[in-house]
Amino acid sequence: FGGAVFSYYPNPVSDVLYLNTTDQIDSVVIYNMLGQKIQEIKQSSTIDMTDLSKGNYLVNVTIGNTTKTIRIVKQ
């Protein structure tokens, strides 16, 4: 993310995923492992994953014009 510091916790997650960054998050998009978009959130550092089924998800975090993909396990 350029000069931005980025971290996330917890992983695995049971309810809320927290995203920590020094820059503003523009969007967060959650995909299942089939590549289907599950959820899109604008400008939030807390992601409520309570309603998602157990399993693996790909989370695309966009800051500015850079996107990072992280793999999250929902338990």
Side-chain angles (χ1 to χ4, degrees):
F1 279 129
V5 174
F6 177 76
S7 64
Y8 56 94
Y9 65 93
N11 192 14
V13 61
S14 57
D15 48 14
V16 177
L17 176 68
Y18 296 94
L19 307 174
N20 288 333
T21 181
T22 54
D23 292 344
Q24 180 175 323
I25 295 171
D26 294 316
S27 70
V28 178
V29 183
I30 301 172
Y31 295 92
N32 64 18
M33 295 310 287
L34 300 175
Q36 298 166 320
K37 186 188 292 186
I38 302 298
Q39 193 174 9
E40 185 168 0
I41 303 103
K42 297 287 185 191
Q43 299 179 338
S44 179
S45 59
T46 57
I47 311 303
D48 184 0
M49 300 184 78
T50 307
D51 295 337
L52 299 182
S53 302
K54 293 181 180 181
N56 295 314
Y57 293 89
L58 296 176
V59 179
N60 286 358
V61 180
T62 302
I63 297 174
N65 58 3
T66 305
T67 300
K68 180 177 178 104
T69 302
I70 57 177
R71 185 175 179 155
I72 299 296
V73 177
K74 169 69 167 75
Q75 59 181 7

